[in-house]
Amino acid sequence: GADRSSFIRDSLDIFVSRALTQWRVPGIAVCVVKDGSVVFMKGYGKARKGVDKDSAAAALILQGWLDRSAKL
């Protein structure tokens, strides 16, 4: 239910936060697809190192790519 979804989302947030530091990348976009539908999409961190623009833009680009791929 909702508690499980919240737990998974929170766990993913923690994992990605640690990964950003460990992998030394400024940002990452994560998308989870289930049965052909996007069930979770979020940008973490910054789009580029030294640029004060968050990676939510990267998530939007990812959404565009997914939409285009679905039409192929």
Side-chain angles (χ1 to χ4, degrees):
D3 289 340
R4 183 175 180 199
S5 294
S6 179
F7 172 76
I8 292 169
R9 191 171 25 259
D10 292 345
S11 297
L12 184 59
D13 286 348
I14 291 167
F15 171 79
V16 171
S17 294
R18 289 179 182 166
L20 287 171
T21 301
Q22 187 175 21
W23 298 338
R24 296 184 181 127
V25 295
I28 189 170
V30 175
C31 183
V32 178
V33 178
K34 180 180 179 185
D35 298 326
S37 297
V38 175
V39 295
F40 178 82
M41 183 171 53
K42 184 175 178 180
Y44 296 86
K46 300 294 177 189
R48 287 187 308 205
K49 187 175 181 178
V51 176
D52 194 28
K53 184 176 184 181
D54 67 32
S55 62
L60 291 174
I61 293 167
L62 180 61
Q63 177 65 46
W65 179 85
L66 287 169
D67 289 345
R68 187 175 60 233
S69 295
K71 294 175 185 174
L72 296 177

